Amino acid sequence: MRIRERLHSRPPGYNLTIGRILAIYAGLMVTLALAALDQTIVATALPRIVGDLGGITQYSWVFTAYMLTSTVTVPLYGKLGDVYGRKKLFLLSIVVFLIGSALCGAAQTMTQLVAFRAIQGIGAGGLFPLSLAVIGNIVPPRDRGRWQGLIGAVFAAASIVGPAVGGFIVDNTTWRWVFFVNLPVGGLALIVISLTMPSRAALTEHAIDWLGAGVLAVGTGSLLLGLVWGGRQYAWGSGHVVVALAAAAVLLVVFALVERRAPEPILPFDVLRNPIVAGSVACMALVGMAMFGTISYVPLFVQGVIGTSATSSGVVLTPMILGAVCTSILTGQLVSRTGRYRWNAVLGPVVLTGAMLLLWRMDVSTTNGEAARNMVIAGIGIGSMMQVFVLSVQNAVPRSRIGSATALTQFGRQMGATLGVTIMGVLVNHGLPSGVAAGGEATQVHRLPPALRSGLAAAIRPAFLVAACIAAAVWVIAVVFVKEQTLRQSLDEVAAVDAAAATPAGAALESPS
C-alpha cells in the first residue's frame, strides 16, 4: 500500500506524480539503450556482415553514414521540440530509427546497408537531446542530476554488454537479428512513451528556419566527411578532402549570415551570450574530444603494447566505463542533495587531466593493473562531468529554450568527439612504426615484437598528452565561465523566473495528456 501511495504522490515542486515520471523514464531509458546498444552490437557483427554481403571497401561507411545523419539532425530536433512539443517528435524519431533498423536487417548489399544506416541515424539524432529536454520539462533543476545519472548508467551498461550481445546474436542466429532485435524493444518503448509522456499544449505561431537548417546540415556533413576521409581513405591534400573542407568552410559562413537574418535561428546563438551557457557548451565539446580520442586508442595500446588479448574494445574499456557510470550516479545524487554543481565542473577536469597524464606515461613496462587503474581514474573524471554541463545549461536558460540549448550541448559534444578522434589519429599515424597497420585488427597488433611494441607506444603517447592538455583547457574554461547558479527546486519557480524575465515560458510548458 505504501508503494502505491508513493507512486501516486507528487513531490513538492513537481507537476507529475512519481509513478508517471518513472513510467516516462522507463520509456526514455529503453529507447536510449536501443541507440547505445546499436553501435556496439553492429561493431561486433560487422565482420560477419561483410563476409555475407561483401563490400569491405565500404566497411567504415556503415559507421560514418550513421554518425553523419545523427549529428547533423541534432539541432533540428532541438528546435522543433521547442516549437511543436517533444512527445510527437520523440515518437517520430523512434519510428524512423525502427524503420531504419528493419531496412538494415533486410539489406542485400553493403550499399543498401550504408543507406539504411543513414536512415537509422536520422532517427537516432533526436533520441538523446529530446530525452534530456524531456527531463528538463518534468524534473526541477535541483533534482535533474539524480535523474540524468540514470541515463549515463544506461549508456555505460550498453557499452559493456553490447559486444557480448552482438557476439551471441552472430554466433547463434543470423547477423540480421542485430537489427531486427530493435523492433520489439522499440515497439515497447513506443507504447510506454505514448501512454505516459505529457502532450504539447496549444501551439503558438513560430517560424522554422528551414534554410538555416539545410545549410547547417550540408555544411556540417561536409566537415565531418573531410575529417573522416583525411588521413584514412584519402590523403589530407587530396581533392576529396580539400573540396569537402572548403565546402564546409563556405557553407558554415553562409549559415552564419543566414542566421543573422532569421527571426528564430535553428541554433540558439543568443543564449551563448550567457557565459555559463557558452562555457558549458565549450566544455562539452572539449570533453568529447578528450574522451572519444582516448577511447579510440586505449584498446590499441593495451593490446599492441602491453600484449593483452581482448576480443573487443568494450572489454578493454570496461574499467573506464564502470568508473564513469558509478561516479555519474554518485555525483548526480550529491548535486541533488546539495543544490551545487560547480564543484563537479572544476574537480572533474583535474581528475581527467591526471588520468591522461598517467596514460601518457605508460610504456612497454606498464602492467594490466596499472592500465586498469589509469582507466578507472579517467572514468571518474568523465563521470563527474557527464551531466553537470547539461544541467548548468538547462538551469541557465528559460524553459522555452531548453530543447534548443540541450541540442546545442549535444551537437558540440558530437563535433568535439569527431575532431578528437581525427586529431588523435593524425598524431598516432604520424609516428606509427612500419609493420603496424593504422587501425588494424587486434590480431595484427597482439604480441608484437619488442621493437614494434616500443614504437607503437611512442606513437600513441602524444595523443594522450594532447588529451591531457584538452582536459586542462576544460578546467580553465569551467573556472572562468561556469559559475554557480542556484538550482531551482520547483517547476513553478522556473516558470515564475521566466515570467519575471518576460520570457514566453508558458508557450513551452507541457501539460499532462
Side-chain angles (χ1 to χ4, degrees):
M1 192 67 177
R2 287 184 177 179
I3 296 177
R4 179 176 296 181
E5 292 176 356
R6 174 65 174 163
L7 292 176
H8 285 84
S9 66
R10 192 177 73 177
Y14 286 71
N15 292 336
L16 300 175
T17 64
I18 289 294
R20 184 79 174 274
I21 293 174
L22 288 174
I24 294 172
Y25 241 86
L28 294 179
M29 294 176 74
V30 169
T31 306
L32 291 175
L34 277 178
L37 279 170
D38 184 78
Q39 288 292 79
T40 51
I41 290 178
V42 171
T44 304
L46 195 53
R48 183 71 60 85
I49 295 174
V50 170
D52 187 9
L53 299 182
I56 193 169
T57 57
Q58 297 172 290
Y59 189 102
S60 64
W61 275 99
V62 175
F63 301 102
T64 302
Y66 184 95
M67 180 189 69
L68 282 172
T69 53
S70 63
T71 300
V72 301
T73 52
V74 165
L76 185 59
Y77 276 114
K79 182 63 178 180
L80 291 176
D82 279 340
V83 173
Y84 296 116
R86 296 177 182 81
K87 180 175 182 177
K88 292 181 180 179
L89 198 61
F90 196 68
L91 293 174
L92 175 63
S93 66
I94 297 174
V95 169
V96 173
F97 181 83
L98 294 181
I99 290 174
S101 298
L103 291 173
C104 286
Q108 300 300 311
T109 66
M110 280 293 284
T111 300
Q112 290 181 5
L113 181 61
V114 169
F116 298 152
R117 284 284 285 172
I119 295 174
Q120 252 193 323
I122 293 174
L127 300 182
F128 198 69
L130 288 174
S131 295
L132 291 178
V134 167
I135 296 171
N137 275 101
I138 65 176
V139 178
R142 178 74 174 259
D143 287 348
R144 285 177 197 161
R146 177 185 304 155
W147 293 93
Q148 288 176 354
L150 296 176
I151 288 182
V154 168
F155 275 84
S159 300
I160 294 172
V161 305
V165 173
F168 178 83
I169 291 175
V170 170
D171 291 340
N172 294 276
T173 63
T174 172
W175 61 264
R176 298 183 185 277
W177 274 101
V178 166
F179 300 103
F180 289 151
V181 74
N182 292 337
L183 302 182
V185 182
L188 176 62
L190 278 174
I191 294 172
V192 173
I193 290 172
S194 63
L195 294 175
T196 61
M197 186 175 290
S199 299
R200 181 60 194 253
L203 296 178
T204 56
E205 290 297 325
H206 289 275
I208 300 298
D209 181 22
W210 294 108
L211 176 60
V215 175
L216 176 63
V218 178
T220 304
S222 298
L223 176 61
L224 291 174
L225 277 177
L227 295 176
V228 170
W229 280 340
R232 299 178 186 179
Q233 291 179 260
Y234 306 101
W236 282 101
S238 67
H240 292 81
V241 176
V242 171
V243 169
L245 295 180
V250 172
L251 288 169
L252 293 178
V253 170
V254 172
F255 170 70
L257 296 175
V258 170
E259 294 300 276
R260 292 184 63 182
R261 299 184 179 184
E264 294 189 39
I266 196 69
L267 284 179
F269 291 112
D270 57 316
V271 302
L272 293 177
R273 298 191 185 100
N274 184 323
I276 295 177
V277 176
S280 297
V281 171
C283 286
M284 282 286 284
L286 292 174
V287 169
M289 290 179 67
M291 176 180 175
F292 288 95
T294 301
I295 286 175
S296 299
Y297 287 99
V298 164
L300 180 61
F301 190 99
V302 172
Q303 296 173 37
V305 178
I306 299 177
T308 300
S309 177
T311 57
S312 69
S313 60
V315 174
V316 177
L317 295 169
T318 297
M320 176 186 288
I321 295 167
L322 290 176
V325 63
C326 293
T327 307
S328 176
I329 294 174
L330 177 61
T331 55
Q333 294 289 332
L334 290 174
V335 168
S336 294
R337 290 178 181 274
T338 63
R340 304 180 68 86
Y341 61 84
R342 189 171 186 265
W343 63 273
N344 279 35
V346 173
L347 181 60
V350 174
V351 176
L352 184 59
T353 301
M356 294 298 106
L357 290 175
L358 288 173
L359 290 171
W360 169 61
R361 290 176 58 84
M362 293 195 307
D363 55 24
V364 292
S365 64
T366 300
T367 65
N368 288 329
E370 291 170 340
R373 176 203 63 194
N374 298 342
M375 287 187 280
V376 167
I377 297 173
I380 292 173
I382 292 169
S384 64
M385 296 182 288
M386 268 186 174
Q387 58 203 343
V388 65
F389 296 122
V390 175
L391 178 61
S392 62
V393 167
Q394 290 186 341
N395 192 56
V397 301
R399 289 185 70 185
S400 60
R401 312 301 296 279
I402 279 182
S404 297
T406 302
L408 185 59
T409 64
Q410 301 310 305
F411 183 73
R413 184 184 67 85
Q414 291 182 221
M415 293 300 296
T418 304
L419 288 170
V421 172
T422 301
I423 293 171
M424 306 300 181
V426 170
L427 290 172
V428 172
N429 290 343
H430 179 72
L432 207 60
S434 58
V436 178
E441 299 291 339
T443 53
Q444 294 177 288
V445 298
H446 182 47
R447 295 181 180 176
L448 293 171
L452 287 182
R453 288 172 58 201
S454 180
L456 181 59
I460 297 176
R461 288 176 61 193
F464 296 147
L465 181 59
V466 169
C469 295
I470 293 172
V474 174
W475 181 83
V476 173
I477 296 173
V479 169
V480 175
F481 295 105
V482 185
K483 301 299 183 182
E484 192 80 62
Q485 189 176 54
T486 302
L487 293 175
R488 296 185 285 276
Q489 300 189 50
S490 74
L491 295 176
D492 290 337
E493 185 182 347
V494 173
V497 171
D498 289 347
T503 303
L509 297 179
E510 311 228 0
S511 59
S513 56

